[in-house]
Amino acid sequence: MEYGKHQAPQAYEPGEGCLTTLIRVPVRIVVLVIVLPVRMVRDALVVTWRAAERVLLRPLGRALARLFDTLVAVPSAWLYRTVLTPLGHALRWLATALFIWPWIGLWRYVAVPVVRYGLVVPLVWLYGTVLTPIGHGTRWLYRTLVVPAGRGIGTALGRLLTALFVRPVAGLWRYAVVPVVRYGLVVPLVWLYGTVLTPIGHGVSWLLVMVGRGIEAVVRGLAAALVRLVLTLLVAPVSWLYRRVLAPVGREIGAAIEVAWRVAGQLSRAIGRALARLARYLVAAPATWVYRSVCTPVGHRVRDAVWAPAVRAAVEAGRAARDALRAVRESVRQARRDAWRALVGGGADPRAGERGTVAARTLGSAQQTATVPSAAQAPEISPLGAETLKRG
């Protein structure tokens, strides 16, 4: 096989002996035997899915889309465009006429004039004529009389309250309460804290620090012993087992699965190519020969002997039908002209033009130019005559 030529040499860990190499080959063979059916089933499912998608799902999707377009989208669009849109416009116009326009008219022609001329204009006049002068006078009285009087009364009340309440209380606090509290309570407490409580606190703190250091040393020793015990009894065996047993086994199994998957892919593709070639020679080649040797000549013979004469006959029949319809239309048109001429009269030749028209003059019909050399030549398009005006 060509597989080994395209693969890079694998780097194995040092120390692998012949035993590892001998075990590796049977493991890969067993894994190949297990993986090959899985890979072949997977490739078969992939090929089947692609063929089904190309042959069945895509045409079915297009057919469903066309059916949905024909049965749902086009009728819905027609219904929306022909029925719902005019109905919506009519309902909108009706709702506007029944609900919006009356309120707009009521607001514009009733509420706004009533509020403007019945409320706003009187209030504006009352504010500008009555309330504004009263407010200005009140502000002048407040600034001229009330503010100075209030300042004088406030100053007098402040001085009276200061003389009656603030100064006696401040003197009592400054000369009675503060000396008693300072020399009767604060000074003894400060002496007690500095002389008695501070040495006692220092001793207790030193004792607690020493006890804590001893407990910390004991805990550190126990933790170190426990960690070393765990490392010796649990971590080292597990690490050795993982490094010496699990990692090599897992690596070998992974490499064996990878190699087996690639080899199984090549075998699956080879089997698929063989089946495709067999189907080509057993099914496609006979079908192609039957199509080219039998169906194509028969189809050409049917086309030349049956289909082409039928098409020519249909074309001739259509042409004859069109000629007949054209003759019928011409006959109806001639009968209509004759009936019109019989009703309104007139001796004009119907071949000269359509109804209600006058044949234009030509160079040969101008007889006056031949008899009178100095006369002006008549125009190519003659104006309507009296007879034509009467007909119109």
Side-chain angles (χ1 to χ4, degrees):
M1 298 179 67
E2 300 295 332
Y3 175 74
K5 298 181 180 180
H6 301 284
Q7 298 293 326
Q10 297 181 358
Y12 298 102
E13 292 185 358
E16 292 183 352
C18 60
L19 183 61
T20 303
T21 306
L22 291 176
I23 293 175
R24 183 181 297 126
V25 176
V27 168
R28 291 190 177 184
I29 294 173
V30 172
V31 171
L32 178 61
V33 172
I34 296 174
V35 170
L36 181 59
V38 178
R39 181 61 185 265
M40 292 185 66
V41 171
R42 180 254 184 191
D43 293 340
L45 292 177
V46 170
V47 172
T48 305
W49 172 255
R50 290 178 181 175
E53 182 181 7
R54 186 182 300 107
V55 176
L56 182 61
L57 295 181
R58 291 180 183 176
L60 181 61
R62 287 194 293 269
L64 291 177
R66 185 171 297 176
L67 182 63
F68 178 80
D69 191 13
T70 304
L71 297 180
V72 179
V74 174
S76 300
W78 178 85
L79 180 65
Y80 175 78
R81 184 175 60 254
T82 309
V83 179
L84 296 180
T85 300
L87 182 62
H89 291 171
L91 291 177
R92 182 180 65 181
W93 182 85
L94 182 62
T96 303
L98 292 179
F99 298 103
I100 297 177
W101 289 346
W103 289 104
I104 292 176
L106 182 64
W107 171 262
R108 184 177 298 173
Y109 300 107
V110 178
V112 172
V114 169
V115 172
R116 178 180 296 175
Y117 298 104
L119 185 62
V120 176
V121 173
L123 288 179
V124 170
W125 177 83
L126 180 64
Y127 177 78
T129 308
V130 179
L131 297 180
T132 300
I134 293 176
H136 291 173
T138 304
R139 185 180 61 181
W140 180 81
L141 289 176
Y142 175 77
R143 290 181 179 179
T144 307
L145 298 179
V146 176
V147 172
R151 288 178 181 176
I153 293 172
T155 303
L157 288 177
R159 291 180 180 179
L160 180 61
L161 292 175
T162 301
L164 292 178
F165 296 101
V166 176
R167 289 182 180 178
V169 172
L172 181 63
W173 172 263
R174 181 177 298 174
Y175 299 107
V177 177
V178 172
V180 170
V181 171
R182 176 180 295 175
Y183 296 103
L185 183 61
V186 176
V187 173
L189 288 177
V190 170
W191 178 83
L192 180 63
Y193 177 78
T195 308
V196 179
L197 297 178
T198 300
I200 294 174
H202 289 172
V204 172
S205 176
W206 177 81
L207 182 61
L208 292 176
V209 169
M210 295 303 295
V211 172
R213 289 180 179 177
I215 293 173
E216 183 180 1
V218 172
V219 170
R220 285 183 178 178
L222 292 176
L226 183 61
V227 168
R228 180 162 297 181
L229 183 64
V230 170
L231 289 176
T232 304
L233 298 180
L234 183 61
V235 176
V238 171
S239 177
W240 179 86
L241 179 64
Y242 174 79
R243 188 173 60 253
R244 297 296 181 181
V245 179
L246 297 180
V249 171
R251 186 168 58 249
E252 292 298 330
I253 293 175
I257 291 175
E258 182 181 1
V259 173
W261 185 260
R262 293 179 181 178
V263 174
Q266 293 183 1
L267 293 177
S268 176
R269 285 193 293 270
I271 295 173
R273 287 193 295 269
L275 292 177
R277 184 168 297 178
L278 184 63
R280 184 183 299 120
Y281 287 115
L282 293 180
V283 178
T288 303
W289 180 84
V290 169
Y291 175 77
R292 291 179 179 178
S293 303
V294 179
C295 295
T296 301
V298 171
H300 290 174
R301 185 63 59 85
V302 170
R303 182 190 63 187
D304 297 335
V306 180
W307 181 254
V311 171
R312 286 195 296 270
V315 171
E316 294 296 335
R319 186 178 296 109
R322 287 196 299 271
D323 294 338
L325 291 176
R326 188 181 300 109
V328 170
R329 286 197 299 268
E330 186 65 27
S331 299
V332 172
R333 189 180 297 111
Q334 186 67 28
R336 189 174 65 247
R337 291 174 184 173
D338 294 339
W340 178 262
R341 191 180 303 108
L343 291 175
V344 301
D349 188 5
R351 298 177 183 178
E354 293 293 332
R355 183 189 60 180
T357 60
V358 179
R361 294 183 182 181
T362 59
L363 295 176
S365 63
Q367 299 177 2
Q368 295 179 0
T369 56
T371 57
V372 183
S374 62
Q377 188 176 1
E380 291 295 327
I381 300 175
S382 301
L384 297 175
E387 182 180 356
T388 305
L389 292 176
K390 290 180 181 180
R391 290 182 183 178

